[in-house]
Amino acid sequence: MLTKVHRIVMLFALALCQAPAWAAIDAYPFPDDEMRQQYNSLIAELRCPQCLNTNIAGSDAMIAKDLRREVHRMVLEGQSDDDIRAFMLARYGDFILYKPQLRAGTLVLWFGPGILFIIALVVIFGMLRRRNSNVTALSDQDQERLKQLLSK
Amino acid sequence: MSSLNKSLLIPLGIFIVLVVILAGGFGLKDPHFLPSQLIDQQFPDFALSELNDPSRELTADDMRGQVALVNVWATWCPNCLVEHPELLRISRDEGVPLYGINYNDDPFKARQWLVRHNNPFQFNIVDNKGKLGIELGVYGAPETFIVDANGVIRYRHVGPVSRRTWEETLGPIIELLETNPDGIKG
């Protein structure tokens, strides 16, 4: 027999082990696992145009729901990842792709951080070298004085 | 000491440059503004029913012939109510045809909404699945497009249309398109 306390404890335990409720539970049917996988990876890499920083898999926005439905339709039609990305790009622009294509307009996105890093390295090395050269630069006169001071 | 001070200025300089760049990115632009991919492209094909006359099928051809405003709206969209008086004024005073896209909405509620708040639209395209919205790159409501006489999308406005929006952007662009149909790009 379960005591009252037992029941309460179990109730709490049940409440705790609920899986986090993901926004995207559409339960779309797929004929095979390959298509399901393609769908899941696409909705994970497409960005929700309404929500600034969520993929369409994780958003409950109306537009994310509509886009998931479109991705599902296109996956079932047998379209490739690139076809589906191109479809989204043509309508929503670079914003929709978390991994933007390499083009003149996106060069800064791809190489900006690397260039900043190289600039940072150059600046740091420059500063270190200057600091080192300051330490070694003692004139003969200073050397002489140093010797005198030390011998006192 | 003096050379140390000078080298301290380098990171400060870089910091200031970064602040300027980032301020440009964060402060000046509305992050919700996405440039439309569809400017200067043909209005996408569709075949959808009319809101008040469901037996009538509308296509992109129904929008040809005149420079027009196409407004994406819904009853769930508070800003659509905000811009509504201005849309009524435009349809009354400006002589520009106004076509509605009732986006992701319940057609029954939408018809009631138009009765209650008056109807500025010549017709309303029922897009209750959001398919035409996706074709247009719409991600919310309200949005307003200027479509020229040949059915080419010439401008997109995101957010409510105010008197100021009309006077500063929509009005002048429409006037330009009416007087000189090929005169503007982008």
Side-chain angles (χ1 to χ4, degrees), chain A residues 1-21:
Chain A
M1 279 298 283
L2 289 173
T3 66
K4 212 173 182 180
V5 178
H6 269 122
R7 266 187 225 156
I8 291 172
V9 169
M10 274 177 68
L11 213 71
F12 269 101
L14 263 177
L16 283 176
C17 57
Q18 295 226 344

Side-chain angles (χ1 to χ4, degrees), chain B residues 93-108:
Chain B
D93 297 347
E94 306 292 351
V96 179
L98 194 55
Y99 308 131
I101 298 177
N102 183 232
Y103 174 63
N104 266 337
D105 207 352
D106 173 0
F108 179 72

